[in-house]
Amino acid sequence: MSFDRSLKIAPSILSADFANFGQEIEAIEAQGCDWVHVDVMDGHFVPNLTFGPPLCKAIRKHIDTVMDVHLMIAPVDPYIDAFAEAGADILTAHLESGPHIHRTLQAIRGAGCKAGLALNPGTGVEDIDYLLDMVDLVCVMTVNPGFGGQKFIHSQIDKVKKLRAMIGDRPVHIEIDGGVTPQTAPLLVEAGADVLVAGSAVFKGGSVDNPAPYGDNMRAIRAATETLRAA
C-alpha cells in the first residue's frame, strides 16, 4: 500500500447482503471502490455483534483492493494476530478500547498490518498527539459506533480540521466512518478527510444481480467532492 491523499471510498460490508459477501465485494470493486471496510463488533465495546477472523479469512480471496478492518472490540490485543493472519491490510483499534493503546498500535504493526486509530464522537484529538508517529490512519467516527444508518454528527467536522492540522505532512490518512453521503462528503473532504467509509449510501438500491447502483452511488459521492475542489 503506497500512501497518497487522493479520495478513497471504502464501502462497509455491514450494509451488504450477508448471504453473498463474496459476490458483493466483487461487485463493489468492479463498480470502483478503493478499499473494502469490515466492521468488527463484539456486542460489548459496542451494542452489536458482527464478524470475526474466520469471516475475514473467507472474504479475503474476494478482495483485490485493500481490506480495511475496523475493530470495535475490547480487549483488542488478544485478537490482533488472528485478524492479521486472516488477511487484514489495515487494523484499526479504538483509543477508548483499552488502557494501553500505544502497545496495541505496536502490536498491530508488529503483526505486519497498517495501524489505524479510531476516535469516538465524544473523544477529543488532544490524547493522540503522542501517537501520530505510530499510526497510518486515524478514523473519526461521525456516528456512535455500533450500527449502520445513523444520523451524521456535524460537530465532528471541526475535529477533522484539528486533526488535519496536527498530522501536518505525516503520511497518515484521515478516515471518516458514519453518515457519509453526497451531502456530507464535501464538508469532510474540505476539512481534510481522504478516506470515506459508506455503507447504506453505497449499497442502497443495488444488489449482486443489479450492481450498477453501487457505482452510481459512489460516483455521486466523488462528484460532490470534485465540485467542491473545483469551486
Side-chain angles (χ1 to χ4, degrees), residues 111-141:
C113 297
K114 298 290 188 181
L117 178 63
L119 304 176
N120 283 336
T123 302
V125 295
E126 300 79 13
D127 291 334
I128 71 169
D129 190 27
Y130 293 102
L131 299 170
L132 285 176
D133 290 323
M134 299 187 64
V135 300
D136 303 285
L137 175 151
V138 179
C139 176
V140 177
M141 297 299 301

Side-chain angles (χ1 to χ4, degrees), residues 67-177:
M67 189 178 191
D68 177 29
V69 179
H70 180 185
L71 299 176
M72 288 173 269
I73 65 175
V76 174
D77 294 10
Y79 302 98
I80 289 170
D81 287 343
F83 280 104
E85 290 166 8
D89 294 300
I90 303 168
L91 282 177
T92 296
H94 276 253
L95 177 68
E96 308 88 353
S97 64
H100 304 296
I101 191 64
H102 190 283
R103 179 186 297 159
T104 298
L105 295 170
Q106 285 181 316
I108 290 172
R109 284 189 164 178
C113 297
K114 298 290 188 181
L117 178 63
L119 304 176
N120 283 336
T123 302
V125 295
E126 300 79 13
D127 291 334
I128 71 169
D129 190 27
Y130 293 102
L131 299 170
L132 285 176
D133 290 323
M134 299 187 64
V135 300
D136 303 285
L137 175 151
V138 179
C139 176
V140 177
M141 297 299 301
T142 45
V143 299
N144 282 295
F147 295 97
Q150 297 185 71
K151 187 176 180 181
F152 182 81
I153 302 174
H154 279 268
S155 63
Q156 302 307 294
I157 295 171
D158 186 55
K159 183 188 291 184
V160 175
K161 292 178 181 177
K162 291 178 181 177
L163 184 59
R164 175 72 276 228
M166 288 174 64
I167 288 172
D169 60 0
R170 294 178 177 92
V172 177
H173 294 291
I174 298 178
E175 180 176 74
I176 304 299
D177 191 349

